[in-house]
Amino acid sequence: MNPADYRPKTSDIPRDPGVYRFRDEEDRIIYVGKAKSLRQRLVNYFQDPALLHPRTRQMVFTAARVEWVVVGNEIEALSLEYSWIKEFAPRFNVMYRDDKSYPYLAVTLTEEYPRVMVTRNAHKRGNKYYGPYTKVWAVRESLDQLLRVFPMRSCTKGVFNNAQRTGRPCLNGYIDRCAAPCVGRVSAAEHRHIAQALVSFMDGSGEELIAAKKAEMMEAAKAQEFERAARLRDDVAALTTVVEKNTVVLDMDTDADVFGLEFDELEASVQVFFVRGGRIRGQRGWVTETVADLEAPGLVSQMILQVYGQYAPSRVGAKRSSAKSVDDVAHTSADAIPREIWVPALPDDAEALESWLGELRGGSVRIRVVQRGAKAQLAQTVHTNAVQALQRHKLHRAGDLTERSKALEELRMGLGLDRAPLRIECYDISHTQGTNQVGSMVVFEDGLAKKSDYRHFIVRGPDGNGVPDDTAAMDEVLRRRLTRLVQGHAADDASDDEPTSGPIDLATDAPRRFAYKPDLIVVDGGLPQVNAAQRVVEELGADVRIVGLAKRLEEVWIPGEEFPLIFPRTSPALHLLQYLRDESHRFAITFHRKRRAKAMTRSALDAIPGLGTAKQTALLKHFGSLAKIKEADLEALEEVSGIGPRLAQTIVEFLHRENE
């Protein structure tokens, strides 16, 4: 629907803070947003559609009407926005979905006989939870060590009740891993005291208890109570093992959630480390497949809202069944929301978020970007985890046969191909301000990378000094590739051999390099790059389909077409093209860096009198790098073939003078 048909009058839109909802023709909520001023925000959606981000443009044309609710302040707007996003899951909102459920170590203090267990279920008020842990075996190992020192109940309700009826404890009771309250070995009060001791140990650093156990062990040894001393020694070892699993990274009074964010045009990955008492207590990760026209600050704002919004009391419009009491919210949020939240970029509404989180926590909360020291190093580690999680997500999807089949079929239909493009080649150019120009060719067959067919190209230009721009570089790379293809097939057509899947090297009886014709060639860029590539195809008569993928908006450009092909953002075809483009870019960058490093090394050695190409090669082969050549002394240099005492002295003097 045209947005002009349902645009409200500007004078009817209040200037107050509030939350707005866009609905489609079937009255489904497709987008929820908040604003300091509803009028200022909403009029932006109804400007010239050509000026809108493609995803925003798609949203306003999908919508059939917009409505809003005025609230008292930004904090109320945050809570209501979160409630509506969770209730309606609008298709155009960023939704951070946990990539899996994580195990926690739980102590059920709400029961008469508290139980320690591993759980993935929702948290219940009054119980204590530790984690999340990334691997279930890690939490089970910790539990096994803890039960040596804190022999409390870990069995299910059914096992516990059966032991009470029969008067026989479970296996843990027989091996001293449980105090067996089920058969009356300890009272309920004594068993709760054991559970409270475990909670105190997990809440603190554990050092006080370990020190106390060591002191008891020494006293027992002095009293020649060697069996008791041995048990205490084992207790100390078990507690130390548990403590060591929670790595100390910062000061003991540091409580923070450390977020890392990595995103591209289609997806975003979030990782968070939970630091309590200076230790990393757990880690979680999310991936979203729907990224709106938001940069890092906007994504961080949505991330904070959705991660901590679960601790907010229900507002107008939220489902009654999901409502929590104020006491429940205060209890869970005090445990879950730390004093500090470290983020990769400060959100625009940071002050409002801090006030909102402060109300939920019952104490001040600070959102900050750490800049230096151990905190910055930890933040970088979390970001690295986010990067790797996004890569794993893409690789997992690429390895899915069903997903690959969908992607290839979508490409066939979208591009009007006779058959699915089983062999796709993608090209990219890399350089540093026009120097060390290189090109890359990556090959995907049946939707999977075929790295044995990857190729590098050194862009030389007509005079050997490179070319003026990326378009000219792409022209040279494609001409070299397609010329080999055309010549190979021409020679093959002239022979009387039986037809094959590609030209064969008669000497080796194997396919020649660049033998197979691609069903589709993808270039990085928009219409100018695509048209330039198409000219090469036409001039050489290669008969290959060309498309371009523009990075900013992920548009697929077809030669000669005025408008690009737009795949849905969740389309497997678009994900495959993006993976191709990113892989070709990575491959080109890697080769470019190697050539640049080699050129820098050569330039440093070229300036040394009497050191020719052969001797430079011998030096690099012997030492491995320019840095190691600089560290070498005269005796080490003279060990290299062709390097005599006088030349070795010249090399040392020149390289040391260069470093001064």
Side-chain angles (χ1 to χ4, degrees):
M1 179 176 288
N2 193 326
D5 295 339
Y6 66 88
R7 174 176 181 168
K9 292 182 179 180
T10 303
S11 58
D12 291 343
I13 306 175
R15 299 180 184 273
D16 306 293
V19 182
Y20 55 91
R21 301 186 289 191
F22 281 87
R23 293 181 180 267
D24 62 12
E25 292 181 338
E26 298 181 6
D27 209 36
R28 293 173 299 195
I29 295 174
I30 61 173
Y31 185 75
V32 173
K34 67 179 185 303
K36 290 182 181 179
S37 170
L38 286 167
R39 178 180 298 182
Q40 185 175 348
R41 175 63 57 82
L42 288 177
V43 295
N44 290 331
Y45 288 100
F46 299 100
Q47 58 180 307
D48 182 358
L51 302 177
L52 295 174
H53 186 279
R55 180 162 175 78
T56 306
R57 183 167 63 245
Q58 182 185 2
M59 188 273 290
V60 295
F61 276 90
T62 303
R65 63 188 178 95
V66 61
E67 58 190 25
W68 56 82
V69 171
V70 174
V71 295
N73 51 54
E74 280 190 83
I75 297 176
E76 291 185 14
L78 284 167
S79 296
L80 182 54
E81 180 190 23
Y82 171 78
S83 297
W84 279 351
I85 288 175
K86 292 298 287 183
E87 180 177 0
F88 301 111
R91 55 176 291 201
F92 287 98
N93 277 96
V94 179
M95 297 294 293
Y96 291 99
R97 296 180 175 89
D98 200 347
D99 52 9
K100 59 182 175 179
S101 61
Y102 287 82
Y104 285 78
L105 184 68
V107 182
T108 60
L109 296 176
T110 53
E111 298 185 40
E112 181 182 3
Y113 296 95
R115 174 190 176 197
V116 60
M117 62 180 179
V118 180
T119 181
R120 296 178 186 265
N121 297 332
H123 295 191
K124 294 182 179 180
R125 180 191 175 198
N127 294 338
K128 294 290 292 186
Y129 295 88
Y130 301 97
Y133 291 79
T134 53
K135 303 292 183 183
V136 70
W137 57 261
V139 65
R140 292 194 188 281
E141 282 187 356
S142 296
L143 177 57
D144 187 57
Q145 298 292 340
L146 288 169
L147 289 177
R148 294 180 59 90
V149 185
F150 307 102
M152 62 174 293
R153 172 194 166 204
S154 60
C155 60
T156 64
K157 184 176 181 180
V159 172
F160 186 84
N161 291 342
N162 184 62
Q164 283 184 317
R165 287 194 301 270
T166 62
R168 297 175 58 188
C170 64
L171 177 63
N172 279 347
Y174 284 109
I175 62 175
D176 296 328
R177 296 296 176 91
C178 178
C182 53
V183 294
R185 289 185 187 172
V186 295
S187 66
E190 290 171 329
H191 183 264
R192 180 167 292 274
H193 178 73
I194 297 173
Q196 291 287 1
L198 186 150
V199 168
S200 298
F201 173 77
M202 293 298 294
D203 284 341
S205 66
E207 294 177 357
E208 293 183 3
L209 181 59
I210 292 174
K213 290 283 185 181
K214 286 182 177 179
E216 286 185 47
M217 178 183 68
M218 297 303 294
E219 290 178 3
K222 288 180 181 178
Q224 297 186 357
E225 298 176 2
F226 298 119
E227 290 186 3
R228 178 167 171 263
R231 286 196 300 271
L232 289 168
R233 177 202 60 199
D234 293 341
D235 288 351
V236 168
L239 293 175
T240 303
T241 299
V242 174
V243 168
E244 287 176 348
K245 288 180 182 293
N246 297 323
T247 309
V248 178
V249 293
L250 299 166
D251 295 336
M252 297 299 293
D253 61 347
T254 301
D255 291 338
D257 286 353
V258 189
F259 285 91
L261 173 67
E262 178 69 12
F263 65 97
D264 54 27
E265 292 77 9
L266 296 178
E267 296 169 311
S269 168
V270 174
Q271 289 283 314
V272 56
F273 282 13
F274 303 99
V275 179
R276 299 294 184 270
R279 301 175 185 272
I280 298 175
R281 296 293 190 182
Q283 173 192 19
R284 296 184 73 177
W286 297 266
V287 174
T288 174
E289 295 184 354
T290 305
V291 181
D293 52 331
L294 295 175
E295 296 300 325
L299 289 170
V300 169
S301 177
Q302 289 293 314
M303 175 184 71
I304 291 174
L305 179 67
Q306 294 185 39
V307 170
Y308 300 108
Q310 59 184 303
Y311 306 111
S314 59
R315 302 276 180 171
V316 177
K319 291 182 179 179
R320 293 182 180 274
S321 61
S322 63
K324 298 179 180 179
S325 70
V326 174
D327 290 340
D328 191 11
V329 169
H331 175 83
T332 56
S333 59
D335 293 337
I337 302 177
R339 292 191 296 269
E340 290 191 350
I341 297 172
W342 303 346
V343 295
L346 202 63
D348 296 332
D349 53 350
E351 292 185 8
L353 286 169
E354 287 177 341
S355 299
W356 176 64
L357 291 170
E359 286 189 4
L360 297 183
R361 182 177 181 270
S364 64
V365 176
R366 183 185 177 192
I367 302 172
R368 56 182 297 213
V369 179
V370 291
Q371 300 287 351
R372 60 182 66 86
K375 295 179 179 179
Q377 292 176 3
L378 178 59
Q380 181 58 43
T381 299
V382 181
H383 175 255
T384 301
N385 277 262
V387 172
Q388 294 175 351
L390 186 58
Q391 291 173 348
R392 287 195 303 270
H393 175 74
K394 290 179 180 293
L395 288 172
H396 175 74
R397 186 178 55 215
D400 188 320
L401 177 60
T402 303
E403 193 80 0
R404 298 201 316 269
S405 300
K406 288 181 180 178
L408 296 175
E409 182 61 19
E410 282 188 9
L411 282 176
R412 184 192 70 79
M413 296 180 62
L415 301 176
L417 302 175
D418 295 332
R419 65 171 188 172
L422 298 183
R423 181 181 173 97
I424 306 175
E425 297 178 1
C426 186
Y427 295 82
D428 192 27
I429 303 296
S430 181
H431 59 83
T432 302
Q433 297 181 343
T435 63
N436 297 311
Q437 291 172 307
V438 299
S440 69
M441 177 185 98
V442 301
V443 179
F444 276 40
E445 287 192 356
D446 196 22
L448 290 175
K450 188 179 182 183
K451 296 193 175 183
S452 61
D453 282 10
Y454 282 20
R455 294 292 183 271
H456 288 132
F457 299 84
I458 299 174
V459 180
R460 298 184 175 88
D463 56 1
N465 295 320
V467 293
D469 53 42
D470 286 356
T471 302
M474 185 65 72
D475 182 285
E476 177 180 327
V477 169
L478 286 177
R479 282 185 188 278
R480 289 164 59 184
R481 163 67 177 115
L482 296 178
T483 297
R484 294 280 295 275
L485 177 68
V486 172
Q487 290 175 348
H489 278 280
D492 194 56
D493 292 341
S495 71
D496 295 327
D497 295 335
E498 291 294 323
T500 61
S501 58
I504 299 296
D505 188 330
L506 298 179
T508 62
D509 205 29
R512 291 199 293 267
R513 294 176 63 191
F514 296 114
Y516 295 110
K517 174 184 174 182
D519 297 303
L520 181 67
I521 286 179
V522 181
V523 297
D524 184 17
L527 194 57
Q529 289 81 6
V530 169
N531 287 337
Q534 182 64 24
R535 283 195 296 270
V536 176
V537 171
E538 293 173 353
E539 290 175 10
L540 297 176
D543 189 27
V544 176
R545 288 296 302 272
I546 298 282
V547 297
L549 184 62
K551 186 174 180 63
R552 189 175 71 88
L553 301 178
E554 301 297 329
E555 301 165 331
V556 179
W557 288 92
I558 302 172
E561 297 290 338
E562 184 178 359
F563 299 103
L565 173 64
I566 305 293
F567 284 106
R569 296 180 70 83
T570 56
S571 161
L574 183 56
H575 288 144
L576 176 60
L577 290 176
Q578 186 198 38
Y579 186 22
L580 264 164
R581 192 264 319 284
D582 292 346
E583 181 71 354
S584 66
H585 184 66
R586 178 199 64 78
F587 197 52
I589 285 288
T590 302
F591 185 50
H592 169 68
R593 286 174 177 165
K594 289 181 180 178
R595 283 192 53 81
R596 184 177 61 189
K598 185 177 180 181
M600 293 173 65
T601 300
R602 287 295 189 187
S603 63
L605 297 178
D606 282 343
I608 300 176
L611 192 64
T613 303
K615 293 177 181 178
Q616 289 180 18
T617 302
L619 280 169
L620 289 170
K621 184 177 180 180
H622 183 84
F623 291 103
S625 68
L626 178 61
K628 291 185 178 179
I629 295 174
K630 291 179 178 181
E631 295 173 358
D633 57 17
L634 288 173
E635 292 182 0
L637 290 170
E638 290 176 17
E639 292 177 1
V640 180
S641 176
I643 306 296
R646 182 176 298 178
L647 182 54
Q649 183 66 36
T650 302
I651 294 171
V652 170
E653 291 177 355
F654 184 88
L655 294 180
H656 287 182
R657 185 170 64 247
E658 186 185 57
N659 290 333
E660 292 176 355

